Amino acid sequence: MNLVFDGHNDVLLRLWRGRHAGSDPVVEFSEGAREGHIDGPRARAGGLAGGLCAIYIPSMKEFALQEAGPDGHYNTPMEAPLQRGSSLDIALDMAAIALRLARAGAWRLCRSTGEIRDAMRDGVFAAVLHMEGCEAIDAELAALEVFHAAGLRSLGPVWSRHNIFGHGVPFAYPMSPDTGPGLTDVGFDLVRACNRLGIVIDLAHITEKGFWDVAKTSDQPLVASHSNAHALTPVARNLTDRQLDAIRERKGLVGLNYAVTMLRPDARDNPDTPLSDMVRHIDYLVARMGIDCVALGSDFDGATIPAAIGDASGNQALIEALSDAGYDEDALAKICRENWLRIFASAWHE
């Protein structure tokens, strides 16, 4: 079994919602859950040895993709910006859940590549705190320092909505990622602070202009934790060839997103999506950037994924499909975990 370190999941959001519905996050993760994609038993069954676990602030109303029209096209309206106070409350609540899981031994909260490797060796889920959209962070970046001390080691300045740091891309098909402005002045400050602290900057949801703003400001490899190839599936969330070339030049990384809307040629939200669509995107990314720049970023617990995988327990189905497509053990090790660990070592000043 090829152990996988996954570049993006929303398990903390699911556990946070469950806690507010009366469940115990530690029990739900440790003993298994009826809902969602990730818990301890299913992760072990599928070789999911760890991942970037997102602090994501949901809006007041449930987000849903706009239903596609007769031609299959859609353009989901952007969500309104969120208030910082309530966002900070939720972010702290999710961080507390992550810390509770670590204290209970349900997973290990990792702050270095050595800790990740130790957890994987010990068969304990290696969780790394990520922030998907920085609505909880103030313009003076004081909260960033506190979250970093609590274990935050990766962040995306924006989700697919705007905030004080920059602008996000909508969920739309077909559409270019060049949908609006990029970083704000405080967004540039955030990037420089992440470079200083050793926090990975994730470009998964930012506009194309924001992508180039980060590229000219950051000293890190360029990373898009859960995005695919725009040339194959032209949704606004996917990356153009020019962006992929920049990631290659900076020795960065793209994590394959399992979301079917970002894999299928028609971008429909249909779980009956073959694994061949996932392999097709991996093939394209490898051909464009090289094997050292491609990894996995499932979006477990945050998207509709192919039924052939189902949840974390089915993760090896993709690895087997890649093996059948000709990827040898060295290539699979890089895609499954080693490329992520290389990025972390660089960004975390190890």
Side-chain angles (χ1 to χ4, degrees):
M1 181 180 292
N2 279 281
L3 295 182
V4 171
F5 186 93
D6 178 45
H8 187 84
N9 70 68
D10 287 294
V11 67
L12 284 173
L13 174 64
R14 198 192 82 229
L15 294 174
W16 174 79
R17 284 174 166 158
R19 190 180 73 79
H20 283 270
S23 66
D24 183 331
V26 173
V27 172
E28 186 172 345
F29 188 86
S30 299
E31 298 183 6
R34 291 191 298 270
E35 306 297 330
H37 295 142
I38 296 179
D39 52 42
R42 286 183 288 179
R44 287 189 293 275
L48 184 63
L52 286 167
C53 300
I55 294 172
Y56 162 75
I57 313 303
S59 62
M60 293 299 292
K61 65 176 183 178
E62 188 73 20
F63 173 78
L65 282 171
Q66 185 182 62
E67 187 174 348
D71 57 2
H73 296 183
Y74 60 87
N75 187 353
T76 304
M78 295 283 284
E79 292 192 10
L82 300 179
Q83 294 295 316
R84 179 174 174 263
S86 57
S87 298
L88 179 59
D89 288 343
I90 294 171
L92 289 171
D93 208 2
M94 290 188 186
I97 290 172
L99 292 166
R100 283 184 60 198
L101 288 169
R103 284 195 301 271
W107 69 19
R108 200 170 294 173
L109 198 57
C110 299
R111 296 168 171 83
S112 70
T113 56
E115 290 179 351
I116 293 171
R117 290 192 185 279
D118 287 347
M120 294 171 75
R121 180 200 63 216
D122 297 340
V124 180
F125 189 88
V128 176
L129 269 187
H130 169 78
M131 187 171 283
E132 186 177 29
C134 290
E135 286 86 0
I137 305 297
D138 55 295
E140 292 75 26
L141 306 180
L144 180 68
E145 302 272 357
V146 176
F147 278 107
H148 178 262
L152 184 72
R153 291 297 180 271
S154 174
L155 64 77
V158 297
W159 182 68
S160 286
R161 61 184 164 225
H162 310 324
N163 61 29
I164 64 171
F165 300 106
H167 295 77
V169 294
F171 293 90
Y173 167 84
M175 184 174 285
S176 161
D178 187 13
T179 60
L183 293 177
T184 63
D185 288 345
V186 293
F188 283 103
D189 291 341
L190 175 67
V191 170
R192 287 186 283 266
C194 287
N195 287 174
R196 173 176 57 82
L197 290 169
I199 298 174
V200 173
I201 301 161
D202 181 15
L203 301 163
H205 282 270
I206 205 164
T207 62
E208 188 170 4
K209 286 186 174 64
F211 177 100
W212 298 116
D213 284 343
V214 172
K216 71 184 182 184
T217 308
S218 177
D219 59 15
Q220 296 180 10
L222 300 178
V223 171
S225 68
H226 56 305
S227 297
N228 299 334
H230 191 271
L232 300 183
T233 306
V235 295
R237 275 275 285 105
N238 280 343
L239 298 162
T240 66
D241 285 350
R242 184 167 171 245
Q243 290 174 299
L244 296 178
D245 292 344
I247 292 170
R248 180 197 67 232
E249 290 164 9
R250 293 280 287 272
K251 296 180 172 59
L253 179 149
V254 175
L256 179 81
N257 195 322
Y258 295 12
V260 296
T261 55
M262 297 173 65
L263 291 167
R264 298 172 58 91
D266 61 9
R268 290 187 180 273
D269 194 25
N270 181 359
D272 187 19
T273 296
L275 295 178
S276 59
D277 280 346
M278 306 179 82
V279 175
R280 186 171 61 106
H281 276 269
I282 290 280
D283 285 345
Y284 190 93
L285 295 172
V286 169
R288 193 84 194 188
M289 298 187 300
I291 193 67
D292 293 330
C293 297
V294 182
L296 304 177
S298 69
D299 216 351
F300 279 144
D301 282 324
T304 302
I305 67 170
I309 293 177
D311 57 33
S313 66
N315 209 37
Q316 291 298 309
L318 171 59
I319 314 308
E320 292 169 8
L322 290 171
S323 178
D324 291 343
Y327 290 88
D328 62 20
E329 286 303 311
D330 181 63
L332 290 175
K334 289 182 176 184
I335 291 171
C336 287
R337 58 190 177 275
E338 294 302 325
N339 289 341
W340 270 119
L341 293 171
R342 173 183 64 81
I343 290 294
F344 293 155
S346 175
W348 296 347
H349 311 312
E350 295 183 359

